[in-house]
Amino acid sequence: MYKTACWDLPRFLPLHRSHPRAMTPRRRILAVLAAVCILLLLRSHGAPVSPTGTQLLLCQSHERCGDQFYDPRQYCCYDDAVVPLGRTRKCGSCTFRVCFEQCCPWLVNRPQESFVVKVKGQNCYSAPSLDDRVCGRSKTGGTL
C-alpha cells in the first residue's frame, strides 16, 4: 500500500487528534469566544470619536493650496493663500468675493467701465452674461 507524507495531504483536510497542530475542544472554545468578542466589538454602537483642534481626518475632504491643506467648506485658495470663504476685494468701484468671483479687465470702448466681475471659472474675455457686474474705475485710481 502506498503511503503519503504529511506534506502531500491537502491543507483543508482535518488533522488527526493526536497531531500537535490539531485543535482540541478547549482551543475550539477559546477560538469561538475570541471570534464572538471581536464581532461584538465591531458591532458596538459607541459614539464616534472625532479629533479636535487642528487635527485632520483623512476621510474629510481637503484641498491643497501651495504647501498648506485646507477645508473647502470654510476656506478657499486665492493667490496661493488660504482665505476664508467670505473674503472680499475691490475690483474698480465694486467689491467681489474672491472665492466665488473674479475681477476681469473689461476692454470695451467705455473707459469709465473698465472692470467686470464674473463668476469664478468663466473666461474673462467671454461674452457678457447676466451674472456679470460692470465696475467703473475706483475713485482713487487704483485698478484692483
Side-chain angles (χ1 to χ4, degrees):
M1 184 164 157
Y2 179 72
K3 290 188 176 183
T4 59
C6 208
W7 57 85
D8 289 336
L9 295 175
R11 295 198 181 261
F12 60 85
L13 290 178
L15 297 173
H16 190 269
R17 281 173 57 174
S18 63
H19 193 278
R21 289 190 319 185
M23 192 174 273
T24 62
R26 174 185 262 169
R27 287 186 183 171
R28 281 190 187 136
I29 291 172
L30 288 174
V32 168
L33 285 176
V36 168
C37 287
I38 290 172
L39 286 174
L40 287 175
L41 285 173
L42 290 175
R43 294 192 50 102
S44 68
H45 295 289
V49 177
S50 61
T52 58
T54 59
Q55 294 176 337
L56 177 69
L57 282 177
L58 293 178
C59 58
Q60 289 179 335
S61 66
H62 60 279
E63 300 286 330
R64 192 175 181 126
C65 181
D67 61 347
Q68 296 179 324
F69 287 100
Y70 67 94
D71 181 359
R73 295 172 295 178
Q74 298 176 1
Y75 302 96
C76 74
C77 187
Y78 178 72
D79 281 344
D80 291 326
V82 177
V83 297
L85 288 179
R87 176 72 49 94
T88 59
R89 281 273 167 97
K90 293 296 275 178
C91 177
S93 61
C94 296
T95 301
F96 74 103
R97 300 170 299 162
V98 300
C99 294
F100 306 105
E101 300 171 315
Q102 58 187 342
C103 182
C104 301
W106 201 26
L107 305 173
V108 178
N109 297 345
R110 297 190 247 173
Q112 72 274 14
E113 298 174 337
S114 56
F115 297 100
V116 63
V117 174
K118 288 185 167 279
V119 174
K120 200 168 198 168
Q122 285 184 343
N123 184 345
C124 277
Y125 302 104
S126 64
S129 71
L130 295 175
D131 294 331
D132 296 347
R133 288 184 290 140
V134 178
C135 308
R137 286 197 178 276
S138 65
K139 301 205 184 336
T140 60
T143 56
L144 295 177

